[in-house]
Amino acid sequence: MNLHLRHAIILLALAAALPAAPALAQKDYPNRPVRMIVPFSPGGSNDIMGRLVAGKLTESMGEQVVVDNRPGASGIIGTDIAAKSAPDGYTVLVMSLTFAVNPSLRSKLPYDTEKDLIPVTLIASAPLILVVHPSLPTKTVKEFIDYARANPGKLNFGSGGPGSTPHLAGEMLKSMAGLQMAHIPYKGGGPALADLIGGQIQLMLENIPSTLPFVKSGKLRGLAVTSKQRSPTAPDVPTLDEAGLKGFELTGWNGLFVPRGTPRAIVNRLHAETVKALAAPDVKQRLAAMSAVGGGEPPAQFAALVKAEIGKWAKITKEAGLKVD
């Protein structure tokens, strides 16, 4: 065969194969288990959301998505592990609003919040509920504020740790209502809730699913939710905004991230599979029961949300004088 003709045939064959390469890479992903890092203890809202999505991704992608809880330092330990993992799509991170708050609370982080992780999509968002121990002589937000102002420094509010969404909600409540209360951090929302029920602390702003059963049983008293609209799962509980703290709005969220450098095709695949998972009827039902709204925004839109949240909480933490080191 003529040498030039052979070269031409080889070049044509290579050119024909090139367009298929990205598609082939995406088709082959994943071909082994994917690790989903949840940087908090099992049982919390971040863990619940992660496991909900992990189960669906396992079904749709044909490979096991294994949840790996790496708690500690308000999510920083697990987030750092994810940020330093190989950018091959086999390590993903499910992180909460705390991701956007930690840069303002900590003078130094072991990773760059805005550069080392790629936002893939929002999983879900949900409000909190202000609950108090029934021993407090308060049945409304107004009565609670009046009581707290009359007893400065005597009330303690708990949270799952410094920089957690419940901690931030408590600080917002203090600031907007002009209250003097002490923050008692725990190693998770569960232990804090147990102490609230036992009367060791007096109040919390915690996720609705974990607190509502105790409100219904009378072990806790629900005063208000932190969203602008009432929660469908607690329609009789007013919002803090309508109860007198005008403009109070705080919604916790959970999102999916991957290490910087992860191929765009894999990011897009993870986004598409997560959207599919959130659209499943059983997932919608679970989210509704938790007063959560499913996400699914494209990566660019979620990245814009994360950036806006970082700026928002930088201002709030500075005004409140919050710092954790």
Side-chain angles (χ1 to χ4, degrees):
M1 184 182 290
N2 182 285
L3 185 61
H4 292 295
L5 180 59
R6 285 174 59 192
H7 285 168
I9 291 172
I10 292 170
L11 289 172
L12 284 171
L14 288 172
L18 284 175
L24 183 63
Q26 187 171 353
K27 182 181 178 181
D28 287 349
Y29 170 81
N31 55 30
R32 55 187 170 88
V34 175
R35 176 174 63 159
M36 176 181 281
I37 294 178
V38 172
F40 298 101
S41 300
S45 61
N46 205 68
D47 180 68
I48 291 170
M49 295 299 179
R51 291 179 187 277
L52 194 60
V53 171
K56 288 297 180 182
L57 294 185
T58 295
E59 293 175 12
S60 65
M61 297 202 299
E63 288 287 349
Q64 190 76 22
V65 179
V66 182
V67 174
D68 182 9
N69 293 93
R70 294 297 187 100
S74 298
I76 293 171
I77 292 174
T79 301
D80 186 44
I81 293 171
K84 291 179 171 59
S85 296
D88 54 10
Y90 289 95
T91 298
V92 300
L93 170 74
V94 173
M95 184 49 163
S96 66
L97 169 64
T98 307
F99 178 82
V101 181
N102 278 334
S104 301
L105 290 179
R106 313 272 177 164
S107 56
K108 188 175 182 181
L109 292 173
Y111 54 85
D112 189 313
T113 302
E114 298 190 63
K115 293 181 179 179
D116 289 346
L117 289 150
I118 299 173
V120 177
T121 193
L122 179 71
I123 294 174
S125 56
L128 306 179
I129 182 171
L130 169 61
V131 285
V132 301
H133 191 269
S135 62
L136 287 188
T138 60
K139 294 184 178 180
T140 66
V141 172
K142 184 181 184 306
E143 289 177 354
F144 169 76
I145 291 175
D146 289 344
Y147 179 83
R149 286 174 177 169
N151 295 273
K154 292 185 179 180
L155 297 182
N156 298 322
F157 75 95
S159 82
S164 64
T165 307
H167 173 210
L168 299 171
E171 295 294 346
M172 280 184 67
L173 178 62
K174 284 174 57 179
S175 176
M176 292 183 68
L179 308 180
Q180 294 181 38
M181 303 186 300
H183 171 230
I184 309 298
Y186 290 79
K187 293 183 179 180
L193 192 59
D195 267 10
L196 174 60
I197 293 167
Q200 280 74 40
I201 56 177
Q202 290 74 48
L203 67 137
M204 284 184 70
L205 288 108
E206 185 54 271
N207 67 73
I208 293 176
S210 64
T211 53
L212 202 55
F214 300 108
V215 172
K216 290 180 177 179
S217 68
K219 292 181 179 180
L220 295 176
R221 186 176 296 139
L223 301 187
V225 294
T226 63
S227 50
K228 269 294 183 73
Q229 290 79 35
R230 293 194 182 199
S231 168
T233 55
D236 295 332
V237 180
T239 69
L240 280 165
D241 179 80
E242 69 178 293
L245 287 181
K246 295 299 179 184
F248 192 108
E249 182 179 13
L250 186 148
T251 303
W253 53 259
N254 312 89
L256 188 67
F257 298 81
V258 292
R260 177 181 58 181
T262 301
R264 179 54 55 181
I266 290 178
V267 173
N268 292 340
R269 174 81 188 278
L270 287 167
H271 169 248
E273 296 291 352
T274 305
V275 170
K276 188 192 304 182
L278 295 173
D282 57 330
V283 173
K284 284 185 172 182
Q285 188 175 7
R286 283 284 306 278
L287 291 177
M290 293 187 285
S291 298
V293 177
E297 287 78 356
Q301 188 174 337
F302 181 42
L305 168 67
V306 173
K307 186 173 183 179
E309 289 280 70
I310 291 172
K312 169 186 173 181
W313 287 102
K315 181 180 179 182
I316 291 174
T317 55
K318 183 177 180 181
E319 290 176 351
L322 297 178
K323 207 72 179 175
V324 178
D325 281 310

